[in-house]
Amino acid sequence: MNKDTKKILFFYPENPLQLHQGNNARALALLKYFREREFEVDFVGEQKEGISLSELESLKNLGFVNNCWLLPDTKSGGLKYLFQVSLPKKMSKIPKAFDRRKLGHQQAFNEILKGNNYDFVVISYSCWIPLILNNPHLKDSQIIVDTHDLLTSQFKSYKSFELGSFFSAEMQLLDAMDRVWAISIEEKYLFEQFLSSKVDLVPHIQQKNEFHVEKSIDILYVASDNEHNRIGARWFFDHVYPMLSNDLKITVVGKVGDFISDGDQIKKIRYVEDLTEVYAQARVVICPMFSGTGLKIKVVEALSHGLPVVCNERGVDGLINKTRNGCLVTNSPTKFSGFIDKLLNDIDFYKEHSSLAHSFFDEQFSKEQVYSKLDSIFEIE
């Protein structure tokens, strides 16, 4: 290894190669950046269903990482669990939602730190900061947390939720980091009001895609299975879909399709390895969402293909420009269906918003733009 090569420990609890979720796509995009900048990267994840060391071998084979470790999936219970996990969490001032450590996690993570020297440690999500908080084995590593989302808003359905204590805990955890990455402009603004840590806006990295193939999908809807997407899907198919032409072909990609009724013109695909070909066949993308925080990765993916997006107000969260960005925004079912109809039937209207999508993507989310921001963070000239 060249003495100037930067060494990074990258913690991400999921499998970045499973691209059916936007958060995985973001993690993989960061790993691609590290690879292109020739960083030496070690990966730490959490052992659970859908992620094992054998499955992560592909990360090594593709040249993304040098080493992979998983924090153990140890059965809860017994004296060890009581004294190492249960009691410490009960005595801590941090709400349990912000401490995802399980039995054996801290010990395994500490062993990795003790055996290696890292220039940077990148932790995904504020709820995993306790792994690194006041850790005596850090040496001189600079600590970065990639927030992905403001988690306080994600925990509001918890029985134990108290806005003051949860928000305060999240800000205290973030403030203990050297740098905090926000994926959306709104969260960057919020964090900067409460943190002394350096806050960086690091949007999702998305390769621009331009393909000229036959358009066989009139409306494309990409969504995973979570409460926010289920609510949005029900709204669209209950209130918007009945107003659309019966011959429009709709493709739904993702587990949200499990909650959508079958229809002659509705094609449901539970999982797609590579969404690029699906986007290339689409004419219009929809993002019906009324809740949820942070940047919507699927909106950025659509814009990278120059595809107009019809969405609710939450669909443009995280975008620096809320208008003239390729998105048509409304919470009205009538206007939502009207936007879709006009895009599909008015060629000039479609070309205008496709052009806006291309331009906005190039200005804010292109690989070159985000790489430049990351180069500044990692002091690459």
Side-chain angles (χ1 to χ4, degrees):
M1 182 180 71
N2 187 297
K3 66 177 182 179
D4 295 325
T5 299
K6 299 182 188 299
K7 190 169 182 181
I8 294 178
L9 181 64
F10 186 77
F11 173 83
Y12 182 70
E14 308 289 339
N15 184 348
L17 296 173
Q18 295 181 348
L19 298 180
H20 59 287
Q21 296 179 181
N23 52 344
N24 293 346
R26 175 173 175 79
L28 185 62
L30 287 170
L31 289 173
K32 288 180 178 178
Y33 165 79
F34 297 146
R35 183 179 63 180
E36 290 194 31
R37 292 299 187 258
E38 299 183 343
F39 292 176
E40 184 174 326
V41 180
D42 288 347
F43 180 90
V44 184
E46 181 190 16
Q47 186 176 13
K48 55 186 174 181
E49 184 179 353
I51 178 170
S52 65
L53 279 178
S54 60
E55 291 171 313
L56 291 178
E57 278 298 308
S58 295
L59 287 175
K60 295 173 67 174
N61 297 336
L62 292 168
F64 288 122
V65 303
N66 293 319
N67 298 294
C68 289
W69 294 283
L70 289 177
L71 303 183
D73 183 16
T74 307
K75 186 177 180 180
S76 299
L79 290 177
K80 277 190 175 181
Y81 178 79
L82 176 65
F83 288 106
Q84 294 182 17
V85 180
S86 182
L87 288 178
K89 285 189 178 183
K90 286 182 179 179
M91 296 170 64
S92 173
K93 294 181 180 179
I94 301 172
K96 286 194 293 185
F98 284 103
D99 188 351
R100 294 293 175 87
R101 291 176 299 174
K102 298 177 182 177
L103 183 62
H105 280 185
Q106 192 64 63
Q107 293 88 333
F109 193 76
N110 287 351
E111 288 302 314
I112 296 169
L113 291 179
K114 284 192 285 187
N116 297 274
N117 293 310
Y118 296 104
D119 298 297
F120 299 91
V121 177
V122 179
I123 298 287
S124 298
Y125 306 108
S126 56
C127 58
W128 286 100
I129 289 176
L131 275 175
I132 209 79
L133 192 65
N134 300 319
N135 195 303
H137 308 294
L138 273 176
K139 307 180 181 74
D140 295 322
S141 304
Q142 184 175 155
I143 312 304
I144 298 170
V145 58
D146 185 14
T147 58
H148 288 260
D149 276 318
L150 174 69
L151 291 188
T152 294
S153 64
Q154 299 292 328
F155 296 150
K156 61 186 179 184
S157 61
Y158 284 33
K159 288 183 178 179
S160 61
F161 180 77
E162 293 179 0
L163 176 58
S165 61
F166 272 60
F167 183 76
S168 176
E170 185 163 13
M171 292 305 105
Q172 288 179 35
L173 288 169
L174 293 175
D175 212 25
M177 303 294 97
D178 294 309
R179 302 188 83 116
V180 174
W181 288 356
I183 196 172
S184 74
I185 190 65
E186 292 91 349
E187 287 169 354
K188 179 178 187 293
Y189 172 80
L190 177 66
F191 293 152
E192 286 179 331
Q193 306 312 303
F194 296 96
L195 304 180
S196 58
S197 303
K198 173 65 177 175
V199 180
D200 305 293
L201 176 62
V202 181
H204 176 58
I205 309 165
Q206 179 70 40
Q207 183 71 47
K208 186 172 184 178
N209 296 285
E210 291 186 88
F211 297 91
H212 302 285
V213 300
E214 181 181 354
K215 299 291 187 179
S216 58
I217 300 171
D218 294 310
I219 301 170
L220 175 62
Y221 178 31
V222 178
S224 57
D225 173 20
N226 61 50
E227 180 185 5
H228 309 297
N229 288 330
R230 290 196 296 270
I231 292 171
R234 283 196 294 269
W235 176 84
F236 175 81
F237 283 97
D238 287 348
H239 302 289
V240 179
Y241 181 63
M243 291 189 279
L244 296 172
S245 173
N246 292 331
D247 60 359
L248 291 182
K249 296 178 180 179
I250 301 178
T251 293
V252 179
V253 178
K255 293 182 180 179
V256 75
D258 296 346
F259 302 90
I260 296 170
S261 300
D262 293 333
D264 292 338
Q265 299 295 340
I266 301 175
K267 181 180 181 180
K268 294 188 282 187
I269 307 173
R270 209 163 187 267
Y271 176 72
V272 173
E273 184 71 30
D274 185 359
L275 280 168
T276 301
E277 292 185 10
V278 181
Y279 280 113
Q281 297 172 46
R283 299 174 67 192
V284 172
V285 172
I286 61 169
C287 180
M289 290 191 77
F290 293 92
S291 58
T293 59
L295 181 72
K296 309 303 180 285
I297 301 296
K298 54 196 168 188
V299 171
V300 178
E301 290 174 340
L303 299 179
S304 76
H305 289 266
L307 293 174
V309 178
V310 183
C311 60
N312 303 118
E313 289 180 359
R314 293 282 71 78
V316 292
D317 283 350
L319 302 184
I320 292 177
N321 294 351
K322 305 302 182 187
T323 60
R324 299 191 62 77
N325 54 21
C327 298
L328 294 158
V329 184
T330 180
N331 288 340
S332 162
T334 302
K335 289 183 179 179
F336 202 105
S337 64
F339 282 144
I340 293 173
D341 286 335
K342 191 166 185 180
L343 285 169
L344 295 176
N345 295 294
D346 187 328
I347 294 176
D348 291 336
F349 187 71
Y350 186 92
K351 287 183 177 179
E352 175 190 356
H353 289 279
S354 176
S355 177
L356 288 172
H358 273 304
S359 298
F360 179 68
F361 176 83
D362 288 341
E363 292 169 3
Q364 302 297 333
F365 294 102
S366 68
K367 175 180 172 182
E368 294 74 21
Q369 289 287 342
V370 185
Y371 272 31
S372 178
K373 293 181 179 181
L374 288 170
D375 286 347
S376 176
I377 292 169
F378 291 107
E379 299 179 351
I380 296 176
E381 298 181 357

